[in-house]
Amino acid sequence: MRDHVCVVGAGPVGVVAAIACAQMGMQVVLFEAEASIDHSPRAATTHPSTLELLAELGLFEEFCSLGLVARHFQFRDGTTKTLVAEFDHEVLRGETPYPFVVQTEQHKLSELGLRRLAGMRNVQVRLGASVTGISQDADGVRVTTKGMAGVEQCLFDYVIGCDGGRSTVRRCLQVEFEGYTWPERFLVLTTLFDFGQALGCCTRTYISDPEEWTNLFKVTGDDLKGRWRAVFPAREAESDDEAFSEAAVRRRLTRLFEGHPMELVVHRNIYRVHQRVAISFRKGRVFLAGDAAHVNNPVGGLGLNCGIHDAMELAETLHLVISGQAKEELLDRYERRRRPLNIEYVQQQTVANKKRLEERDPKVRQANFDQLRRAAADPVLHKQFLMRTSLIESARKARKIT
Ligand SMILES: Cc1cc2nc3c(=O)[nH]c(=O)nc-3n(C[C@H](O)[C@H](O)[C@H](O)COP(=O)(O)OP(=O)(O)OC[C@H]3O[C@@H](n4cnc5c(N)ncnc54)[C@H](O)[C@@H]3O)c2cc1C
């Protein structure tokens, strides 16, 4: 007997896809190229609409216990060091049982997901097994893997490629990854310094500055003691060594707070950032989800959230088809629901978020600030703003697409 579904990649999207498929009764094999989960600092903000999905899977309580509940977020003006506007998720009460975001590092979701999968009898997790090839016909998908046991081939009904931005699955399908790469990379500095106390800012704070913007947020760390991550644009010509140098790190952190002690810096990382969407999310029996299907800049914390929405939508669709409740044509709905909404809600919003932070024209900056202040002050606009940023609006819109 062959397994129903192969999930490629044990990032957060892959583990959620595997758990959702397994809970619906499918036989699942999950392949992960690495022997363990990567801990580099990436996604941390999980929005209300995604918390609802984690709750459906029974993951919410544990996920929440590993992070911080953050009700508010702020926009600040870096040039005057003043607050521009503060938003409060509490206005979403009634729309969602979770009127807040949870700041939990993404590796914790992958690891907690792997622990859950280990206890499920219809799941096989294969760490250290890299998918190298995929071929399909009307009867199934043949997946080639390379790992400790050498080269192997297995046959599946369906494959979900959750293997990240450089997806091998996407390459095997020869699906174009349309879009562009930003010229500047993003630098992430992690520090034990308490910016919340020093600046009076929220656990999630966006600082607009024409010279150099910052996205500042708090996570718990593996020791649950708390630490702050500050994300900055690196200069276009700045090398890794320059960006990581003592002088550059000091310059950036002391611009945020004059007395920042250098010995509290615990991690430095730098990323290339893209805005890209696969021109197709499905080819035959093979699907793309998460970063394999779309990537975006992290301002607003939307990429992973959208990937988890993909995983849940796809698991439900596959279940309906595999269990005979729907015809195979339904499989096309996955792309109809997920691709346009990624462009409308995630690509457009993250590009606008980045532009707002880096804006140089004083008049446009002022207009941006006025708009944020108006939205924060008016209860109707405040709620509208958060319905969009929390992806509740896009999740509801998706359900209406037939
Ligand atoms: C600085 C930064 C901050 C961010 N902040 C946020 C945020 O706050 N909120 C948010 O929603 N998003 C955020 N993002 C985006 C988020 O990190 C990604 O959207 C997320 O990692 C996507 O998860 P994924 O599971 O699709 O892919 P990944 O996390 O990239 O996981 C892919 C997995 O597939 C494995 N793999 C790769 N190739 C193969 C293969 N051939 N065979 C088997 N396994 C393979 C990899 O080893 C990896 O484990 C941020 C990104 C960055 C860079």
Coordinates of all heavy atoms in Angstrom, one line a residue, residues 171-202:
R171 N 11.3 23.8 -8.3 CA 12.3 23.7 -9.4 C 11.9 22.4 -10.2 O 12.0 22.5 -11.5 CB 13.7 23.6 -8.9 CG 14.2 25.0 -8.6 CD 15.7 25.1 -8.5 NE 16.0 26.2 -7.7 CZ 16.9 26.3 -6.7 NH1 17.6 25.2 -6.4 NH2 17.0 27.3 -6.0
C172 N 11.6 21.3 -9.6 CA 11.3 20.1 -10.3 C 10.1 20.3 -11.2 O 10.0 19.7 -12.2 CB 11.0 18.9 -9.3 SG 12.5 18.4 -8.5
L173 N 9.2 21.1 -10.7 CA 7.9 21.4 -11.4 C 8.2 22.4 -12.6 O 7.3 22.6 -13.4 CB 6.8 21.9 -10.5 CG 6.3 21.0 -9.4 CD1 5.2 21.8 -8.6 CD2 5.8 19.7 -9.9
Q174 N 9.3 23.0 -12.5 CA 9.7 24.1 -13.5 C 8.6 25.2 -13.4 O 8.2 25.7 -14.5 CB 9.8 23.5 -14.9 CG 11.0 22.6 -15.0 CD 11.2 22.1 -16.4 OE1 10.2 21.6 -17.0 NE2 12.4 22.1 -16.8
V175 N 8.3 25.6 -12.2 CA 7.3 26.7 -12.0 C 8.1 28.0 -11.7 O 9.0 28.0 -10.9 CB 6.4 26.4 -10.8 CG1 5.6 27.6 -10.4 CG2 5.4 25.3 -11.2
E176 N 7.8 29.0 -12.5 CA 8.6 30.3 -12.4 C 8.2 31.0 -11.0 O 7.1 30.9 -10.6 CB 8.2 31.2 -13.5 CG 9.1 32.4 -13.7 CD 8.6 33.4 -14.7 OE1 7.8 33.0 -15.6 OE2 8.8 34.6 -14.5
F177 N 9.2 31.6 -10.4 CA 9.0 32.3 -9.1 C 9.1 33.8 -9.5 O 10.1 34.4 -9.4 CB 10.1 31.9 -8.1 CG 9.7 32.0 -6.7 CD1 8.4 31.9 -6.3 CD2 10.7 32.1 -5.7 CE1 8.0 31.9 -4.9 CE2 10.4 32.1 -4.4 CZ 9.0 32.0 -4.0
E178 N 7.9 34.3 -9.8 CA 7.8 35.6 -10.4 C 8.0 36.7 -9.3 O 7.4 36.6 -8.3 CB 6.5 35.8 -11.0 CG 6.4 36.8 -12.2 CD 5.0 36.6 -12.8 OE1 4.0 36.5 -12.1 OE2 4.9 36.7 -14.0
G179 N 8.7 37.8 -9.6 CA 8.9 38.9 -8.7 C 10.3 39.5 -8.7 O 11.0 39.4 -9.7
Y180 N 10.7 40.0 -7.6 CA 12.0 40.7 -7.5 C 12.6 40.5 -6.2 O 12.0 40.1 -5.2 CB 11.9 42.2 -7.9 CG 10.9 42.9 -7.0 CD1 11.3 43.6 -5.8 CD2 9.5 43.0 -7.3 CE1 10.5 44.3 -5.0 CE2 8.7 43.7 -6.5 CZ 9.1 44.3 -5.3 OH 8.3 45.0 -4.5
T181 N 13.9 40.8 -6.1 CA 14.7 40.8 -4.9 C 15.1 42.2 -4.5 O 15.5 43.0 -5.4 CB 16.0 39.9 -5.1 OG1 15.6 38.6 -5.5 CG2 16.9 39.9 -3.9
W182 N 14.9 42.6 -3.3 CA 15.3 44.0 -2.8 C 16.8 44.1 -2.9 O 17.5 43.2 -2.6 CB 14.8 44.2 -1.4 CG 13.3 44.3 -1.3 CD1 12.5 43.3 -0.8 CD2 12.5 45.3 -1.6 NE1 11.2 43.6 -0.8 CE2 11.1 44.9 -1.3 CE3 12.6 46.6 -2.1 CZ2 10.0 45.7 -1.5 CZ3 11.5 47.4 -2.3 CH2 10.2 47.0 -2.0
P183 N 17.3 45.3 -3.3 CA 18.8 45.5 -3.4 C 19.4 45.4 -2.0 O 20.6 44.9 -1.9 CB 18.9 46.8 -4.0 CG 17.6 47.5 -3.8 CD 16.6 46.5 -3.7
E184 N 18.7 45.9 -0.9 CA 19.4 45.8 0.4 C 19.0 44.6 1.1 O 17.9 44.1 1.0 CB 18.9 47.1 1.2 CG 17.5 47.1 1.8 CD 16.5 47.6 0.8 OE1 16.6 47.3 -0.4 OE2 15.5 48.2 1.2
R185 N 19.9 44.0 1.9 CA 19.5 42.9 2.8 C 19.1 43.4 4.1 O 19.2 44.6 4.5 CB 20.8 42.0 2.9 CG 21.1 41.3 1.6 CD 22.4 40.5 1.7 NE 23.5 41.4 2.0 CZ 24.6 41.0 2.6 NH1 24.7 39.7 2.9 NH2 25.6 41.8 2.9
F186 N 18.5 42.5 4.9 CA 18.0 42.9 6.3 C 18.9 42.3 7.3 O 19.2 41.1 7.3 CB 16.6 42.4 6.5 CG 15.5 43.2 5.7 CD1 15.8 44.0 4.7 CD2 14.2 43.0 6.1 CE1 14.8 44.8 4.0 CE2 13.2 43.8 5.4 CZ 13.5 44.6 4.4
L187 N 19.3 43.1 8.2 CA 20.2 42.7 9.3 C 19.3 42.5 10.6 O 18.5 43.4 10.9 CB 21.2 43.8 9.6 CG 22.1 43.7 10.8 CD1 23.1 42.6 10.6 CD2 22.8 45.0 11.0
V188 N 19.5 41.4 11.3 CA 18.8 41.1 12.5 C 19.8 41.1 13.7 O 20.7 40.2 13.7 CB 18.0 39.8 12.5 CG1 17.1 39.6 13.7 CG2 17.1 39.7 11.2
L189 N 19.6 42.0 14.6 CA 20.5 42.0 15.8 C 19.6 41.5 17.0 O 18.5 42.1 17.2 CB 21.1 43.3 16.1 CG 21.9 43.9 15.0 CD1 22.4 45.3 15.3 CD2 23.1 43.0 14.7
T190 N 20.1 40.6 17.8 CA 19.3 40.1 19.0 C 20.1 40.5 20.2 O 21.3 40.3 20.3 CB 19.1 38.6 18.9 OG1 18.6 38.2 17.7 CG2 18.2 38.1 20.0
T191 N 19.3 41.1 21.1 CA 20.0 41.7 22.3 C 19.1 41.4 23.6 O 17.9 41.3 23.5 CB 20.2 43.2 22.2 OG1 20.6 43.8 23.4 CG2 18.9 43.9 21.8
L192 N 19.8 41.3 24.7 CA 19.2 41.0 26.0 C 18.7 42.4 26.6 O 18.1 42.4 27.7 CB 20.1 40.3 27.0 CG 20.5 38.9 26.5 CD1 21.5 38.3 27.5 CD2 19.3 38.0 26.2
F193 N 19.1 43.5 26.0 CA 18.7 44.8 26.5 C 17.2 45.0 26.4 O 16.6 44.6 25.4 CB 19.4 45.9 25.7 CG 19.1 47.3 26.1 CD1 19.6 47.8 27.3 CD2 18.3 48.1 25.4 CE1 19.3 49.0 27.8 CE2 18.1 49.4 25.8 CZ 18.6 49.9 27.0
D194 N 16.6 45.6 27.4 CA 15.2 45.7 27.5 C 14.7 47.0 26.8 O 14.6 48.0 27.5 CB 14.7 45.6 28.9 CG 13.2 45.6 29.0 OD1 12.5 45.7 28.0 OD2 12.7 45.4 30.2
F195 N 14.4 47.0 25.5 CA 14.0 48.2 24.8 C 12.6 48.6 25.3 O 12.3 49.8 25.2 CB 14.0 47.9 23.3 CG 15.3 48.1 22.6 CD1 15.9 47.0 22.0 CD2 15.9 49.3 22.6 CE1 17.2 47.2 21.4 CE2 17.1 49.5 22.0 CZ 17.8 48.4 21.4
G196 N 11.8 47.7 25.8 CA 10.5 48.0 26.2 C 10.6 49.0 27.4 O 9.9 50.1 27.3
Q197 N 11.4 48.8 28.3 CA 11.6 49.7 29.5 C 12.3 51.0 29.1 O 11.9 52.0 29.4 CB 12.4 49.0 30.5 CG 12.0 49.5 31.9 CD 12.7 48.6 33.0 OE1 13.8 48.1 32.8 NE2 12.0 48.5 34.1
A198 N 13.3 50.8 28.2 CA 14.1 52.0 27.9 C 13.4 53.0 27.0 O 13.5 54.2 27.2 CB 15.4 51.5 27.1
L199 N 12.6 52.5 26.0 CA 11.9 53.4 25.1 C 10.4 53.5 25.4 O 9.7 54.4 24.8 CB 12.0 52.9 23.7 CG 13.4 52.7 23.1 CD1 13.4 52.2 21.7 CD2 14.2 54.0 23.1
G200 N 9.9 52.7 26.3 CA 8.4 52.7 26.5 C 7.7 52.2 25.3 O 6.5 52.6 25.0
C201 N 8.3 51.3 24.5 CA 7.6 50.8 23.3 C 7.0 49.4 23.6 O 7.2 48.8 24.6 CB 8.6 50.7 22.2 SG 9.9 49.5 22.4
C202 N 6.1 49.0 22.7 CA 5.4 47.7 22.8 C 6.3 46.6 22.4 O 7.4 46.8 21.8 CB 4.3 47.7 21.8 SG 2.9 48.7 22.2

